[in-house]
Amino acid sequence: MEVYWAVIKWWPEIQTLLATGVTIAKVEAAKTMIKNIKRIARGFRNPTNYQSRILLRIAARPVA
C-alpha cells in the first residue's frame, strides 16, 4: 500500500521523467561538490573567497 501512495504523491515528477528523461542528478552532483568545497575550505573567513571557489569549481567541470 505504501508504494501506491508514493506513486500518487510523486506522479507529476514521474510523468516529467518519462516525458523528458530529465533527472535531478546534476543538481545532486552540484550539492555534493559544494559540500566537498565546504569541507576543504574550513577556516575561510572571507565569504567572497568561498563563493569564488564554488563558482570556479562549477565553471571548470564542463571544460574537464
Side-chain angles (χ1 to χ4, degrees):
M1 195 65 160
E2 287 182 32
V3 173
Y4 174 76
W5 290 111
V7 170
I8 296 295
K9 179 181 177 184
W10 291 100
W11 187 245
E13 288 81 2
I14 293 169
Q15 284 181 319
T16 302
L17 173 65
L18 294 174
T20 64
V22 175
T23 65
I24 61 166
K26 289 183 180 182
V27 173
E28 292 297 327
K31 286 173 45 179
T32 301
M33 180 193 60
I34 290 170
K35 285 182 183 180
N36 286 334
I37 290 172
K38 281 183 179 181
R39 287 186 196 113
I40 293 169
R42 276 183 262 136
F44 275 1
R45 294 176 190 249
N46 186 342
T48 305
N49 289 346
Y50 176 66
Q51 183 180 13
S52 297
R53 182 172 277 225
I54 291 172
L55 292 175
L56 285 171
R57 179 69 70 89
I58 291 172
R61 287 186 76 211
V63 175

